[in-house]
């Protein structure tokens, strides 16, 4: 399988009043062409910052991001803008990401105009073809974002991201601002486009059921770090990290009569500003021991392809 994105030791820190916020801390992973990597975690865990850093919308602090073999942290501006055509971003809130003064036509045409090399007729053909692909009626071509509902606005956002025919798309909570009834339509649209064009997605969400439905692999983040990483089926069948177990226990069961053993996390969330040399989850973990408070656990492969960041993963799971 062709590896499309390879990320090594990626860090994104922000200065905060003389201290340092570790938003993304030492993340390593790769994705193959046509796969979807689901990234989950509570808000503030750094998943959106990581998504933006992958596309160089935030400059990384250190680490490498190889897209089709090119390290985008090192390329010059010209090369970066060429690569950007192949790497796109779908935002959570289409309303704030779309220009309110642009019609549907202008919104979809603009990336082609900026990229250059297309005649007026070609642009028109591509805009209408994309409207058909994302399920926007052609009669809406001259409407503005505020005249459309959330689902249609997200279809424009997807069309704009896809119009340059990228290979790799970071989808940052693309359905969380939408009504539940519309969410499935948008997810199915993304899946249809992926199947047709062999697209690769990083899909950021706090919704574990969405991620289970669409992802090939799942990365669980906690306070800027990866705490568990595995193929989707493996992660759901053999959840190993205490934090992932708590997240999964909060997902409502489809059977309303089934007994739900929800794990309630107590304790203070550790600050991501100058975090201590310990497990960042230790203040909320019921298995925490002295070692957890004194040493950062390494992310270790405990089963083939299944990585966990916990000193006591074997003992907790009786492996
Ligand atoms: Fe819990 Fe310790 Fe494992 Fe952290 S390292 S998850 S505190 S048992």
């Amino acid at each position: 399988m062709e590896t499309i994105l390879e990320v090594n030791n990626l860090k994104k820190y922000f200065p905060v009043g003389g201290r340092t916020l570790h938003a993304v801390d030492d993340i390593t992973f790769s994705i193959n062409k046509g796969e979807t990597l689901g990234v989950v975690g509570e808000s503030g865990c750094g998943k959106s910052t990581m998504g933006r850093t992958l596309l160089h919308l935030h400059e990384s602090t250190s680490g490498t991001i190889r897209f089709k073999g090119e390290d985008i942290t090192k390329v010059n501006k010209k090369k970066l803008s060429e690569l950007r055509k192949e790497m796109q971003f779908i935002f959570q809130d289409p309303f704030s990401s779309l220009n309110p003064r642009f019609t549907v036509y202008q919104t979809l045409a603009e990336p082609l105009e900026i990229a250059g090399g297309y005649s007026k007729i070609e642009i028109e053909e591509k805009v209408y073809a994309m409207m058909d692909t994302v399920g926007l009626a052609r009669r809406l071509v001259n409407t503005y974002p505020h005249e459309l509902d959330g689902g249609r606005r997200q279809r424009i956002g997807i069309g704009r991201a896809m119009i340059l025919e990228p290979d790799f798309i970071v989808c940052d909570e693309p359905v969380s601002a939408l009504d539940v009834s519309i969410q499935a339509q948008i997810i199915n649209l993304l899946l249809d486009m992926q199947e047709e064009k062999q697209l690769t997605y990083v899909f950021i969400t706090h919704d574990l059921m969405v991620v289970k439905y669409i992802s090939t692999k799942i990365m669980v983040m906690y306070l800027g770090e990866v705490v568990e990483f595995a193929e989707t089926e493996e992660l759901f069948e053999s959840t190993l990290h205490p934090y992932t177990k708590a997240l999964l226990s909060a997902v409502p069961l489809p059977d309303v009569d089934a007994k739900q053993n929800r794990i309630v996390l107590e304790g203070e969330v550790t600050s991501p500003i100058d975090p201590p040399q310990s497990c960042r989850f230790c203040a909320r973990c019921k298995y925490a021991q002295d070692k957890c408070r004194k040493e950062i656990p390494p992310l270790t492969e405990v089963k083939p392809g299944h990585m966990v960041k916990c000193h006591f993963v074997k003992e907790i799971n009786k492996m």
Side-chain angles (χ1 to χ4, degrees):
M1 258 191 172
E2 182 193 344
T3 300
I4 198 160
L5 189 81
E6 212 180 328
V7 175
N8 278 297
N9 307 105
L10 183 67
K11 294 183 183 177
K12 178 61 192 170
Y13 295 170
F14 295 97
V16 186
R19 302 176 72 198
T20 307
L21 186 146
H22 293 223
V24 174
D25 221 351
D26 210 11
I27 285 183
T28 295
F29 66 90
S30 64
I31 319 176
N32 296 325
K33 189 171 171 63
E35 284 185 339
T36 298
L37 171 69
V39 182
V40 290
E42 294 161 301
S43 61
C45 71
K47 55 192 192 302
S48 290
T49 305
M50 188 201 63
R52 283 165 189 266
T53 311
L54 289 182
L55 298 196
H56 213 53
L57 299 174
H58 286 317
E59 201 167 320
S60 57
T61 303
S62 64
T64 57
I65 305 165
R66 288 191 184 281
F67 176 67
K68 294 184 179 174
E70 294 262 14
D71 184 355
I72 67 159
T73 65
K74 305 242 165 30
V75 297
N76 60 28
K77 272 193 177 169
K78 187 167 173 278
K79 185 71 193 168
L80 184 63
S81 70
E82 274 172 31
L83 289 173
R84 277 261 171 77
K85 290 178 204 157
E86 300 173 51
M87 309 170 82
Q88 293 287 323
F89 200 91
I90 296 172
F91 295 87
Q92 175 182 4
D93 178 3
F95 198 54
S96 58
S97 66
L98 298 175
N99 186 333
R101 291 186 298 277
F102 274 16
T103 62
V104 173
Y105 187 91
Q106 290 169 312
T107 304
L108 296 179
E110 190 188 43
L112 298 165
E113 289 162 357
I114 292 171
Y118 300 96
S119 69
K120 238 181 144 185
I121 291 172
E122 282 171 329
I123 290 176
E124 196 174 311
E125 281 172 2
K126 280 184 176 289
V127 166
Y128 282 111
M130 186 50 75
M131 288 184 74
D132 295 344
T133 304
V134 298
L136 278 169
R138 290 185 175 205
R139 65 183 159 74
L140 300 174
V141 72
N142 290 318
T143 52
Y144 291 88
H146 72 270
E147 299 177 275
L148 300 169
D149 59 32
R152 288 195 177 93
R153 285 202 290 262
Q154 193 53 294
R155 287 175 194 274
I156 305 173
I158 292 169
R160 184 176 162 89
M162 301 287 187
I163 201 143
L164 290 171
E165 300 183 22
D167 294 317
F168 173 65
I169 300 110
V170 175
C171 309
D172 186 8
E173 302 260 13
V175 296
S176 61
L178 303 176
D179 288 348
V180 176
S181 58
I182 310 290
Q183 289 185 0
Q185 293 174 17
I186 296 295
I187 287 169
N188 287 331
L189 169 64
L190 289 168
L191 289 176
D192 289 347
M193 294 179 101
Q194 179 175 43
E195 196 179 318
E196 196 187 324
K197 303 202 187 283
Q198 271 283 291
L199 301 175
T200 309
Y201 292 145
V202 165
F203 198 100
I204 297 165
T205 180
H206 61 274
D207 188 331
L208 277 153
M209 282 302 103
V210 168
V211 107
K212 185 179 183 185
Y213 182 58
I214 63 155
S215 306
T216 323
K217 296 171 181 165
I218 297 181
M219 176 193 283
V220 182
M221 287 184 71
Y222 186 78
L223 286 181
E225 296 181 324
V226 176
V227 294
E228 188 157 6
F229 185 98
E231 299 219 340
T232 304
E233 216 181 305
E234 163 69 14
L235 189 114
F236 276 83
E237 275 179 11
S238 173
T239 312
L240 298 178
H241 194 281
Y243 176 62
T244 317
K245 287 175 194 266
L247 276 188
L248 277 177
S249 79
V251 175
L253 295 172
D255 179 356
V256 286
D257 295 327
K259 191 169 176 289
Q260 186 140 8
N261 292 319
R262 186 162 181 184
I263 302 167
V264 179
L265 292 176
E266 287 166 356
E268 288 268 305
V269 178
T270 303
S271 170
I273 299 175
D274 294 338
Q277 294 290 304
S278 67
C279 170
R280 289 188 192 170
F281 187 58
C282 68
R284 299 170 86 190
C285 180
K286 67 176 178 181
Y287 304 103
Q289 301 184 34
D290 270 0
K291 185 175 182 181
C292 310
R293 297 180 194 96
K294 289 182 192 146
E295 283 177 39
I296 300 172
L299 185 67
T300 312
E301 188 166 26
V302 288
K303 290 164 80 180
H306 195 152
M307 318 280 288
V308 184
K309 193 176 178 69
C310 173
H311 290 304
F312 298 105
V313 59
K314 293 200 170 147
E315 291 81 349
I316 290 168
N317 295 287
K318 300 187 176 44
M319 294 169 83

